[in-house]
C-alpha cells in the first residue's frame, strides 16, 4: 500500500510573508494527518522561512527545480546540495512548464533526477502528453519515452525514492481535469512500464500522483482509483481552505 502524497506546487506565486502565513496554518491544522504525506513546493525565495516553520511537523518541503551540478559558475541556479542544506526533502523535476517554456529535455531531466537522488532528495518527476498527442493516440508512446529517458540509469533502490507525477498538459491550469477513469488508465500504464524496467515489487511501491486542475470537487474520485496515489495541485493549492479540503479528501 503506497502512502498517499498530496503536493502543492505554488509555481511563481506567494511572497515570503504569504508563504509563512500559509505554512503556519498548515502546521496548526494539518500536521496531525499521519496517514498521508503533505508536501509544499514554494518558490525558492520562500523555502528557508517555510522550512523553519515546518520543522518537526511531518509536513515536507519541496523545491520546484534544481541544477544537476553541486556548485560552481552557474548563475541563477540552485543545487541539490543547497536544497538539502535548508531542509528540502523533495524536488519537482521536469514540470511541463519547465519543458515547454524553458527548453528542458529528457536528458536534462535525467541529470536532475540523478543529482537529486545522489544528494538524498526524492524527485517528483513530471510527465504528460499534450492534447494533440492524446488526440492522435500517442499518449502511451510519449509517456513510455519520457519514463525511459527521464529515469535512465536508475537502480531498483533509486526508483523506490522517486515519485512520478502524471500531468496531462491539456489539464494543467485549464480547469479541464482528466476523468478518474482516464487518469487511472494512464497510471496503470505507468506502473506497468516501471515494472518492466525495475521489477514488479519495486514498481508497486512507487507513488504515482495525478496533476492537472485538481480541486476539492474532483479529488475524492481520483483518490478512489487503485493506481492514483496522490495529487500535484497547482492553482487550488494557493488558497488555504481549498488545499486543506484536498488534503483531507
Ligand atoms: P493546476 O496545476 O492544478 O493549476 O492545473 C498543476 C501543476 O501544474 O502541477
Amino acid at each position: 500500500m503506497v502512502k498517499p502524497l498530496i503536493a502543492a506546487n505554488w509555481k511563481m506565486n506567494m511572497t515570503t510573508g504569504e508563504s509563512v502565513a500559509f505554512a503556519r496554518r498548515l502546521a496548526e491544522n494539518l500536521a496531525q494527518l499521519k496517514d498521508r504525506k503533505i508536501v509544499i513546493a514554494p518558490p525558492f525565495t520562500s523555502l528557508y522561512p517555510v522550512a523553519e516553520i515546518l520543522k518537526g511537523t511531518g509536513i515536507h518541503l519541496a523545491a520546484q527545480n534544481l541544477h544537476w551540478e553541486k556548485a560552481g559558475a552557474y548563475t541563477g541556479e540552485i543545487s541539490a546540495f543547497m536544497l538539502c542544506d535548508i531542509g528540502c526533502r523533495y524536488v519537482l523535476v521536469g514540470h511541463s512548464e519547465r519543458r515547454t517554456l524553458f527548453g528542458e529535455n529528457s536528458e536534462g531531466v535525467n541529470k536532475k533526477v540523478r543529482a537529486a537522488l545522489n544528494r538524498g532528495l526524492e524527485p517528483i518527476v513530471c510527465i504528460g502528453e499534450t492534447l494533440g498527442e492524446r488526440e492522435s493516440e500517442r499518449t502511451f508512446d510519449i509517456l513510455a519515452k519520457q519514463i525511459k529517458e527521464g529515469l535512465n540509469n536508475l537502480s531498483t533502490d533509486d526508483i523506490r525514492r522517486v515519485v512520478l507525477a502524471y500531468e496531462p498538459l491539456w489539464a494543467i491550469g485549464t480547469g479541464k481535469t482528466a476523468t478518474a477513469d482516464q487518469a487511472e488508465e494512464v497510471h496503470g500504464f505507468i506502473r506497468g512500464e516501471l515494472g518492466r524496467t525495475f521489477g514488479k515489487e519495486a514498481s508497486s511501491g512507487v507513488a504515482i500522483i495525478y496533476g492537472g486542475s485538481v480541486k476539492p470537487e474532483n479529488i475524492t474520485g481520483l483518490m478512489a482509483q487503485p493506481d492514483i496515489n496522490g495529487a500535484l495541485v497547482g492553482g487550488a493549492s494557493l488558497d488555504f481552505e481549498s488545499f486543506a479540503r484536498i488534503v483531507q479528501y
Side-chain angles (χ1 to χ4, degrees):
M1 176 73 185
V2 182
K3 202 174 200 182
L5 185 156
I6 308 287
N9 175 11
W10 287 351
K11 309 192 180 186
M12 196 171 74
N13 294 293
M14 303 280 225
T15 61
T16 51
E18 289 163 346
S19 304
V20 162
F22 193 114
R24 287 215 172 95
R25 287 183 79 183
L26 264 183
E28 281 160 18
N29 295 289
L30 299 177
Q32 77 286 359
L33 292 172
K34 302 294 179 212
D35 61 343
R36 60 203 70 188
K37 293 178 182 167
I38 305 173
V39 179
I40 306 293
F44 283 129
T45 46
S46 294
L47 284 174
Y48 183 69
V50 169
E52 292 294 295
I53 292 165
L54 297 184
K55 233 180 233 169
T57 62
I59 298 172
H60 305 293
L61 190 65
Q64 297 176 16
N65 188 23
L66 80 163
H67 191 270
W68 54 80
E69 294 291 345
K70 183 180 173 193
Y74 303 97
T75 301
E77 296 294 331
I78 307 269
S79 70
F81 178 73
M82 293 165 170
L83 298 178
C84 285
D85 180 48
I86 59 151
C88 284
R89 170 154 168 192
Y90 294 90
V91 60
L92 301 183
V93 181
H95 188 280
S96 65
E97 286 149 18
R98 302 276 343 148
R99 294 182 195 250
T100 57
L101 303 173
F102 303 101
E104 284 195 10
N105 58 25
S106 288
E107 193 191 331
V109 168
N110 184 246
K111 284 187 189 169
K112 291 182 178 192
V113 168
R114 286 191 286 139
L117 289 167
N118 286 341
R119 290 291 338 158
L121 285 170
E122 300 181 32
I124 301 177
V125 185
C126 305
I127 57 174
E129 82 287 2
T130 63
L131 184 58
E133 288 160 352
R134 173 162 282 263
E135 285 175 349
S136 56
E137 294 180 5
R138 284 159 57 220
T139 299
F140 293 148
D141 291 345
I142 296 293
L143 294 173
K145 190 168 184 300
Q146 289 175 347
I147 292 168
K148 184 166 181 274
E149 294 175 352
L151 305 182
N152 190 26
N153 272 325
L154 262 56
S155 69
T156 305
D157 278 345
D158 289 334
I159 199 67
R160 295 182 210 277
R161 294 190 290 125
V162 170
V163 176
L164 257 288
Y166 168 55
E167 298 205 300
L169 272 68
W170 46 272
I172 295 179
T174 58
K176 213 174 162 188
T177 336
T179 63
D181 286 346
Q182 271 174 331
E184 173 62 16
E185 184 191 20
V186 175
H187 282 228
F189 171 79
I190 294 169
R191 201 171 306 282
E193 286 298 293
L194 295 178
R196 286 198 315 142
T197 313
F198 301 101
K200 207 163 178 246
E201 196 270 320
S203 75
S204 65
V206 176
I208 306 176
I209 65 177
Y210 169 80
S213 298
V214 173
K215 303 183 267 281
E217 294 74 29
N218 57 27
I219 185 70
T220 313
L222 289 163
M223 293 306 293
Q225 303 298 318
D227 278 310
I228 301 182
N229 309 120
L232 181 53
V233 190
S237 74
L238 295 171
D239 173 70
F240 181 80
E241 297 297 341
S242 127
F243 185 63
R245 281 171 63 202
I246 292 171
V247 168
Q248 298 172 96
Y249 63 88

